[in-house]
Amino acid sequence: MWNVRSYRNDSTAAGRPFAAVAVCCLLSSVAGPLAPRPVDGVRVLAVETIAGKSHWNFMRAVLRSLTDAGHAVTVFTPFPDGERDNYTEVDTSAAFRMKLDVDLAEVLEKFVRPSSILPLIVTVSRSLCDAIFQDDRMKAAMRPRADGADGGGDYDVVIVEPMGSECVSHAATVMGLPLVFVVPSPMISHFEGAFLGHVPNPAVVSHFMADHAVPRSFVQRFGNAILLAYSVFAVRYTEWSQKRDAATAPRPYDVLAPVHPSAVFVNSHFATEASRPTPPNFVHVGGLHLEKPKSLPHDILEFINESSNGVIYFTFGSVVKMSTMPDYIQKSFKDALAQVPQRVLWKYEGEMEDVPPNVMIKKWFPQRDILLHPKVKLFISHGGISGVYETVDAGVPVLGFPLFYDQHRNIANLVDAGMAISMELLSVSTDIVLNSILELINNEKYSINAKITSERFKDRPMSPEKLIVYWTEYIHRHKGASHLKSHALNLTWYQYFLLDVIAAILILSLIILFVCYTIIKIIYKNSLKYLYNFKPKSE
């Protein structure tokens, strides 16, 4: 008799290679039509338009993602890092005025009020466009391709950081190439309509310079609407007035209509941003700049490890020089920090008098690596978006002192997440600072909420690096992906807000009311005549 079990085992074993081939064929036939076509190396021309270190850190992370995926990048930047495979730098630092370690008084004077910062940003942006596009190296990059083929120069895609003027898109306009914007902050509210075609609804989406995460009350919605309307007007009016002043000798970027971006890579994420509607080419890549952790320097690591009660990290970033804070503010911080049981790492430029014994002062600290240390209990910050995502990734509570631009809303989002307390820098006192620090450290709800926010932040279907590569390749594969651009870009402002439709409805309603009124009037007059004529006859 046959050994049925043996026969089945033998036949199964023999059939395994064929089954594997069949499964592979089946999977390839199913996945084949869905998988994107492979893309040869995309040639990217990138331009960093702002001389801010945190801005460059985000742009650099975008470009690093592309070069690591085998794409070739040429970048005009004021922060050269050194060339590598597939990566070429053009140093523009001579044409840029660096804004690092600024006095606090200058920040409060120029950057806090929208009426000050918005026109300033437009003016600075246009002056940088002059420097960039008058550079002979940029002119050479924008020349037509040597082989005479369609397209701009030797590139396939242009990646630029928008600032305050539409002039930054000039290279893509001249070269006829797809444009990608890189926004190192949350989405710039007053440019969202120009970039994507859709104006953020001020009833539900807080302006990126607002001091609230969500406009919940009538006062917040009213103020949010006014701020959005003012910011759009201020930016457009400043741009228009500068174009008018240069009308006799217009700049090249004022002659050509700017191109709309195929995609916008935004340093935001729904873990720290309120839910809101976005088009498909609005790509959230918050935390893209986060690098793999490194080991801490020996002196810092020893200082942290020897603290039995944990550590507080204190910095206001690379823009504001903390040594320029008023004396009463510095004294409030020093007196408060001297009373906490934790040790403190304080980024401070210059020499400090009367340094508390539990405080280490340095001009620079490896911020990300410090925040990831398990002994760090609190982050005292100004609310820059880079630091926000570093502390969210680490799950560390925040004591925020927002100063300008997007920082107020950044901190408000963390307060909304239950992991932060926000304070006004100019109104601090020793007791207020000390009580806030003790509340954040001793009340477990803040650390628990910080860990919950961190888990949400890390729970992603795809890393931000892969998103950058995918969408850049997608735009190249589909020749600019014009189908991603909203039809709203083709509408005038009154068409977008349905003012023509509303006007038509009002006119039609008035016509109907007038016709009804006329009919009723005629009926009324005829009725009176009838009654008048009927009465004598009946008598």
Side-chain angles (χ1 to χ4, degrees), residues 367-410:
Q367 179 168 294
R368 171 156 169 76
D369 303 317
I370 289 173
L371 290 172
L372 288 172
H373 196 284
K375 280 201 169 185
V376 174
K377 304 296 182 182
L378 179 65
F379 181 32
I380 304 178
S381 169
H382 64 310
I385 196 64
S386 297
V388 164
Y389 284 124
E390 287 172 358
T391 194
V392 166
D393 184 65
V396 176
V398 176
L399 177 58
F401 294 90
L403 298 174
F404 66 98
Y405 206 57
D406 61 328
Q407 295 168 6
H408 288 86
R409 199 186 77 171
N410 293 342

Coordinates of all heavy atoms in Angstrom, one line a residue, residues 367-410:
Q367 N 20.9 70.0 22.1 CA 19.6 70.0 22.6 C 18.8 68.7 22.5 O 18.2 68.2 23.5 CB 18.8 71.2 21.9 CG 17.4 71.3 22.4 CD 16.7 72.6 21.9 OE1 17.2 73.7 22.2 NE2 15.8 72.5 21.0
R368 N 18.8 68.2 21.3 CA 18.0 66.9 21.1 C 18.5 65.8 22.0 O 17.7 65.1 22.6 CB 18.1 66.5 19.6 CG 17.5 65.2 19.4 CD 17.0 65.0 17.9 NE 16.7 63.6 17.6 CZ 15.6 63.0 18.0 NH1 14.7 63.6 18.7 NH2 15.3 61.7 17.6
D369 N 19.8 65.7 22.1 CA 20.4 64.6 22.9 C 20.1 64.7 24.4 O 19.9 63.8 25.1 CB 21.9 64.5 22.6 CG 22.2 64.3 21.1 OD1 21.5 63.5 20.5 OD2 23.1 64.9 20.6
I370 N 20.1 66.0 24.8 CA 19.8 66.3 26.2 C 18.3 65.9 26.5 O 18.0 65.3 27.5 CB 20.1 67.8 26.5 CG1 21.6 68.0 26.6 CG2 19.4 68.2 27.9 CD1 21.9 69.5 26.7
L371 N 17.4 66.4 25.6 CA 16.0 66.1 25.9 C 15.6 64.7 25.9 O 14.7 64.2 26.5 CB 15.1 66.9 24.8 CG 15.1 68.4 24.9 CD1 14.4 69.0 23.7 CD2 14.4 68.8 26.2
L372 N 16.4 63.8 25.2 CA 16.1 62.4 25.1 C 16.6 61.7 26.4 O 16.3 60.5 26.5 CB 16.8 61.8 23.8 CG 16.1 62.2 22.5 CD1 16.9 61.7 21.3 CD2 14.7 61.6 22.5
H373 N 17.4 62.3 27.2 CA 17.9 61.7 28.4 C 16.8 61.5 29.4 O 16.0 62.4 29.6 CB 19.0 62.5 29.0 CG 19.9 61.8 30.0 ND1 19.4 61.5 31.3 CD2 21.1 61.2 29.9 CE1 20.3 60.8 31.9 NE2 21.4 60.6 31.1
P374 N 16.7 60.3 29.9 CA 15.5 60.0 30.8 C 15.5 60.8 32.1 O 14.4 60.9 32.7 CB 15.7 58.5 31.1 CG 17.2 58.2 30.9 CD 17.6 59.1 29.7
K375 N 16.6 61.5 32.5 CA 16.5 62.3 33.7 C 16.0 63.7 33.4 O 15.9 64.5 34.4 CB 18.0 62.3 34.3 CG 18.3 61.1 35.1 CD 19.4 61.4 36.1 CE 19.6 60.2 37.1 NZ 20.6 60.5 38.1
V376 N 15.8 64.1 32.2 CA 15.3 65.4 31.9 C 13.8 65.5 32.3 O 13.0 64.8 31.8 CB 15.5 65.8 30.4 CG1 14.9 67.2 30.1 CG2 17.0 65.9 30.1
K377 N 13.5 66.4 33.2 CA 12.1 66.6 33.7 C 11.3 67.7 33.1 O 10.1 67.7 33.1 CB 12.2 66.8 35.2 CG 12.9 65.7 36.0 CD 12.2 64.4 35.9 CE 12.9 63.3 36.7 NZ 12.3 62.0 36.6
L378 N 12.0 68.7 32.6 CA 11.3 69.9 32.1 C 12.2 70.6 31.0 O 13.4 70.6 31.1 CB 11.0 70.9 33.2 CG 10.3 72.2 32.9 CD1 8.9 71.9 32.4 CD2 10.3 73.1 34.1
F379 N 11.5 71.2 30.0 CA 12.1 72.0 29.0 C 11.6 73.4 29.1 O 10.4 73.6 28.9 CB 11.9 71.4 27.6 CG 12.5 72.1 26.5 CD1 13.7 72.8 26.6 CD2 11.8 72.1 25.2 CE1 14.2 73.4 25.5 CE2 12.4 72.7 24.1 CZ 13.6 73.4 24.3
I380 N 12.4 74.4 29.4 CA 12.0 75.8 29.4 C 12.4 76.4 28.1 O 13.6 76.5 27.7 CB 12.7 76.6 30.6 CG1 12.3 75.9 31.9 CG2 12.2 78.0 30.6 CD1 13.0 76.6 33.1
S381 N 11.4 76.9 27.3 CA 11.7 77.2 25.9 C 10.9 78.4 25.5 O 9.9 78.8 26.1 CB 11.3 76.0 25.0 OG 11.3 76.3 23.7
H382 N 11.3 79.0 24.3 CA 10.6 80.1 23.7 C 9.5 79.6 22.7 O 8.7 80.4 22.3 CB 11.5 81.0 23.0 CG 12.3 80.4 21.8 ND1 12.9 79.2 21.9 CD2 12.4 80.8 20.6 CE1 13.4 78.8 20.8 NE2 13.1 79.8 19.9
G383 N 9.5 78.3 22.4 CA 8.5 77.8 21.6 C 8.8 77.8 20.1 O 7.9 77.7 19.2
G384 N 10.1 77.8 19.7 CA 10.5 77.6 18.3 C 10.0 76.2 17.9 O 10.1 75.2 18.7
I385 N 9.6 76.1 16.6 CA 9.0 74.8 16.2 C 10.0 73.6 16.2 O 9.6 72.5 16.5 CB 8.3 75.0 14.8 CG1 7.4 73.8 14.5 CG2 9.4 75.1 13.7 CD1 6.2 73.7 15.4
S386 N 11.2 73.9 16.0 CA 12.2 72.8 16.0 C 12.3 72.2 17.4 O 12.3 71.0 17.6 CB 13.6 73.3 15.6 OG 13.6 73.8 14.3
G387 N 12.4 73.1 18.4 CA 12.4 72.6 19.8 C 11.1 72.0 20.2 O 11.1 71.1 21.1
V388 N 10.0 72.5 19.7 CA 8.7 71.9 20.0 C 8.7 70.4 19.6 O 8.3 69.5 20.4 CB 7.6 72.6 19.3 CG1 6.3 71.8 19.3 CG2 7.3 74.0 20.0
Y389 N 9.1 70.1 18.4 CA 9.1 68.7 18.0 C 10.2 67.9 18.7 O 10.0 66.6 18.8 CB 9.2 68.6 16.5 CG 7.9 69.0 15.8 CD1 7.8 70.0 14.9 CD2 6.7 68.3 16.2 CE1 6.6 70.3 14.3 CE2 5.5 68.7 15.6 CZ 5.5 69.7 14.6 OH 4.3 70.0 14.1
E390 N 11.2 68.5 19.1 CA 12.3 67.7 19.8 C 11.7 67.3 21.2 O 11.9 66.2 21.7 CB 13.5 68.5 19.9 CG 14.3 68.6 18.6 CD 15.5 69.6 18.7 OE1 15.7 70.2 19.7 OE2 16.2 69.7 17.7
T391 N 11.0 68.2 21.9 CA 10.5 67.9 23.2 C 9.3 67.0 23.1 O 9.0 66.1 23.9 CB 10.1 69.2 24.0 OG1 9.9 68.9 25.3 CG2 8.9 69.9 23.4
V392 N 8.5 67.1 22.0 CA 7.3 66.2 21.8 C 7.9 64.8 21.5 O 7.4 63.8 22.1 CB 6.5 66.7 20.6 CG1 5.5 65.6 20.2 CG2 5.7 67.9 21.0
D393 N 8.9 64.7 20.7 CA 9.5 63.4 20.4 C 10.0 62.8 21.7 O 9.9 61.5 21.9 CB 10.6 63.5 19.4 CG 11.2 62.2 19.0 OD1 10.5 61.4 18.4 OD2 12.4 62.0 19.3
A394 N 10.6 63.6 22.6 CA 11.2 63.1 23.8 C 10.1 62.9 24.9 O 10.4 62.2 25.9 CB 12.3 64.0 24.3
G395 N 8.9 63.5 24.8 CA 7.9 63.4 25.8 C 8.2 64.1 27.1 O 8.0 63.6 28.2
V396 N 8.7 65.3 26.9 CA 9.1 66.2 28.1 C 8.2 67.4 28.2 O 7.9 68.1 27.2 CB 10.6 66.7 27.9 CG1 11.0 67.6 29.1 CG2 11.5 65.5 27.9
P397 N 7.6 67.7 29.4 CA 6.8 68.8 29.6 C 7.5 70.1 29.3 O 8.8 70.2 29.3 CB 6.3 68.7 31.0 CG 6.5 67.3 31.4 CD 7.7 66.8 30.6
V398 N 6.8 71.2 29.0 CA 7.4 72.5 28.6 C 6.8 73.6 29.4 O 5.6 73.7 29.7 CB 7.1 72.7 27.1 CG1 7.6 74.1 26.7 CG2 7.7 71.6 26.2
L399 N 7.7 74.5 29.8 CA 7.4 75.8 30.4 C 7.7 76.8 29.3 O 8.9 77.1 29.0 CB 8.1 76.2 31.7 CG 7.9 77.6 32.2 CD1 6.4 77.8 32.5 CD2 8.7 77.8 33.5
G400 N 6.7 77.4 28.6 CA 6.9 78.2 27.5 C 6.9 79.7 27.7 O 6.0 80.2 28.5
F401 N 7.8 80.5 27.1 CA 7.8 81.9 27.1 C 7.9 82.4 25.6 O 8.9 82.8 25.1 CB 9.0 82.4 27.8 CG 9.0 82.1 29.3 CD1 9.6 81.0 29.8 CD2 8.4 83.0 30.2 CE1 9.6 80.7 31.1 CE2 8.4 82.7 31.6 CZ 9.0 81.6 32.0
P402 N 6.7 82.3 24.9 CA 6.8 82.6 23.5 C 7.0 84.1 23.3 O 6.6 85.0 24.1 CB 5.3 82.3 23.0 CG 4.5 82.3 24.3 CD 5.4 81.9 25.4
L403 N 7.8 84.4 22.2 CA 8.2 85.8 22.0 C 7.5 86.4 20.7 O 7.0 87.5 20.7 CB 9.7 85.9 21.8 CG 10.5 85.5 23.1 CD1 12.0 85.5 22.8 CD2 10.2 86.4 24.2
F404 N 7.6 85.7 19.6 CA 7.2 86.3 18.3 C 6.9 85.2 17.3 O 7.1 84.0 17.5 CB 8.2 87.3 17.7 CG 9.5 86.6 17.3 CD1 9.7 86.3 16.0 CD2 10.5 86.3 18.2 CE1 10.9 85.7 15.6 CE2 11.7 85.7 17.8 CZ 11.9 85.4 16.5
Y405 N 6.3 85.7 16.2 CA 6.0 84.8 15.0 C 5.0 83.7 15.4 O 4.0 84.0 15.9 CB 7.3 84.4 14.3 CG 7.2 84.1 12.9 CD1 6.7 85.0 12.0 CD2 7.5 82.8 12.3 CE1 6.6 84.8 10.6 CE2 7.4 82.6 11.0 CZ 6.9 83.5 10.1 OH 6.8 83.3 8.8
D406 N 5.4 82.4 15.1 CA 4.5 81.3 15.4 C 4.6 80.8 16.8 O 3.9 79.8 17.1 CB 4.8 80.2 14.4 CG 6.3 79.7 14.5 OD1 7.2 80.5 14.9 OD2 6.5 78.5 14.3
Q407 N 5.5 81.3 17.6 CA 5.8 80.7 18.9 C 4.6 80.7 19.9 O 4.5 79.8 20.6 CB 7.0 81.5 19.5 CG 8.3 81.3 18.7 CD 9.4 82.2 19.2 OE1 9.3 82.9 20.2 NE2 10.5 82.2 18.4
H408 N 3.8 81.7 19.8 CA 2.6 81.8 20.7 C 1.7 80.6 20.4 O 1.2 79.9 21.4 CB 1.9 83.1 20.6 CG 2.6 84.3 21.2 ND1 3.6 85.0 20.5 CD2 2.6 84.8 22.5 CE1 4.1 85.9 21.3 NE2 3.5 85.9 22.5
R409 N 1.4 80.4 19.2 CA 0.5 79.3 18.9 C 1.2 77.9 19.1 O 0.5 76.9 19.5 CB 0.0 79.4 17.4 CG -1.3 78.5 17.2 CD -1.7 78.5 15.8 NE -0.9 77.6 15.0 CZ -1.2 77.2 13.7 NH1 -2.2 77.7 13.1 NH2 -0.4 76.4 13.1
N410 N 2.5 77.8 18.9 CA 3.2 76.6 19.1 C 3.0 76.2 20.6 O 2.7 75.0 20.9 CB 4.7 76.7 18.8 CG 4.9 76.9 17.3 OD1 4.1 76.6 16.5 ND2 6.1 77.4 16.9

